[in-house]
Amino acid sequence: MNGGRLSRATTRKRKRVFRITTALALVLALVGIIAFAALIDKKQDSSLPESDEIATEMVDSESEQPADAETESTDTIYIEQPYTKVYADDRVTVVYEADLGDRFERLETVSGFVKVQLNERLTGWVIEESVTTEATALSDDEVIAAWQQVVPNASESILDWIGKDLETVRAELGSPSAVQRDQVNEYHFYDGFFLMVRDQKVRAVDWDKQATATPDLQPTREQATGIWFEGETVQLKLFPYSGVMRVRLEQK
C-alpha cells in the first residue's frame, strides 16, 4: 500500500513540475517573439536616411543627375543678335523673331535651349548661345540724349507714353491708321511712328526709315545689323538697313 501511495504522490509531483515547466517555456517563447520583432523593426529603421541632409546629398550629387537634366532659373536674359528665332515647344516651329537687346525672363535651360516668357500667355525657346545675362548699363539721361540725336524731331512727351496702358495712350493719340499683330506684340501705326504694344501696355515707340546717324555714346553692343544702348529703365536700339535705319525707344 505504501508503494502505491508513493507512486501516486510521485505522479502528482511530476504533473506539477510539467505544468510549471510548460508555463515557463511559454513565457520564454513569448519573450523571444517580442525581442525578435523589436530587432526586425530596428533593422528596418536603420535602412532609412536619418536626416533630410542625406536625401539632399543624394539628389544634388552630380553622379545621380541625368545627362540632360533641366536647370531652372528665373533670371533675365538679353538677346545678342537681331532677328533671333524664337521656337515653339517643339523647338522647330518659329513663333517670333526677337531683336537685339530684347529682354525676357528666363524660365529654364534645357539641352542648349533657353525657355523665355514672351508675354503673359506665351513662352518660347531660343538657342542658349544667342542670349546673354550681361548688359553694360548707361544712365537714362545718356540714352535719351542719344535718342534725341538720331530722332531730333521727336517730342519728349513721347517718353510719357512708354509703359502706359494702351487705352490711356489711345485717348491722347486717337485711333491708329493701321494695326498689325504677331504672336507676341501688336503694332499700332501713326503718322511717322508706331507703338509696340504687349499685354495691353505700350512697350516701345519705333521710327522707321530714319537717316543713318551715330550717337556720341559708347553702345552696349554694336553690330553691322544692330546697335543697342542699355539704360537704367529704357533702351535705345538702332537697326540700319538699305541706307536708312529703324529706331526703337523701349521700356526695360
Side-chain angles (χ1 to χ4, degrees):
M1 295 179 64
N2 289 339
R5 284 195 298 270
L6 287 173
S7 178
R8 288 194 294 272
T10 300
T11 299
R12 286 195 297 271
K13 183 177 179 180
R14 287 178 178 175
K15 288 181 178 179
R16 285 196 300 272
V17 171
F18 178 77
R19 286 196 295 269
I20 293 171
T21 302
T22 301
L24 287 173
L26 290 173
V27 170
L28 290 174
L30 181 60
V31 170
I33 291 171
I34 294 172
F36 180 76
L39 178 62
I40 293 298
D41 288 342
K42 184 176 180 180
K43 287 183 177 180
Q44 289 178 343
D45 289 342
S46 66
S47 68
L48 298 174
E50 295 181 359
S51 70
D52 288 341
E53 293 180 357
I54 296 176
T56 301
E57 288 180 9
M58 292 175 66
V59 171
D60 292 342
S61 172
E62 292 182 2
S63 62
E64 294 294 326
Q65 292 181 351
D68 191 25
E70 297 185 1
T71 302
E72 293 190 2
S73 177
T74 55
D75 60 351
T76 298
I77 60 94
Y78 297 89
I79 301 296
E80 283 203 293
Q81 298 287 337
Y83 316 113
T84 292
K85 289 179 170 54
V86 183
Y87 299 95
D89 284 342
D90 61 9
R91 300 181 214 173
V92 175
T93 306
V94 176
V95 296
Y96 183 63
E97 284 192 345
D99 277 332
L100 171 69
D102 279 1
R103 183 175 182 268
F104 299 109
E105 178 189 354
R106 184 211 306 253
L107 301 177
E108 58 182 334
T109 301
V110 181
S111 302
F113 282 83
V114 177
K115 187 176 186 179
V116 296
Q117 190 73 48
L118 296 172
N119 57 28
E120 288 180 348
R121 68 186 185 280
L122 183 66
T123 60
W125 297 85
V126 294
I127 296 173
E128 189 174 10
E129 293 178 352
S130 67
V131 308
T132 182
T133 57
E134 299 178 359
T136 304
L138 307 163
S139 71
D140 279 351
D141 287 343
E142 289 176 307
V143 172
I144 291 169
W147 162 64
Q148 290 173 327
Q149 277 187 270
V150 297
V151 192
N153 296 325
S155 169
E156 284 196 27
S157 63
I158 290 173
L159 297 171
D160 296 332
W161 302 342
I162 303 176
K164 292 280 186 68
D165 291 338
L166 175 61
E167 185 178 352
T168 301
V169 178
R170 286 276 296 267
E172 179 179 345
L173 293 177
S175 298
S177 58
V179 176
Q180 296 179 3
R181 296 176 176 84
D182 58 29
Q183 294 275 50
V184 179
N185 304 312
E186 293 182 352
Y187 306 93
H188 294 240
F189 289 84
Y190 291 85
D191 185 19
F193 63 89
F194 64 88
L195 310 177
M196 186 190 81
V197 177
R198 182 181 302 161
D199 301 325
Q200 294 302 301
K201 289 186 179 296
V202 176
R203 304 293 183 175
V205 182
D206 284 46
W207 294 262
D208 199 7
K209 299 181 181 178
Q210 296 296 299
T212 302
T214 304
D216 299 328
L217 185 65
Q218 182 66 35
T220 301
R221 295 281 193 284
E222 183 172 7
Q223 302 170 17
T225 53
I227 306 172
W228 161 31
F229 301 87
E230 178 78 5
E232 298 157 326
T233 65
V234 295
Q235 297 176 323
L236 176 64
K237 303 172 185 178
L238 312 178
F239 300 102
Y241 70 96
S242 303
V244 292
M245 66 180 182
R246 174 168 60 90
V247 178
R248 169 169 288 179
L249 189 64
E250 183 170 351
Q251 181 191 48
K252 289 177 61 175

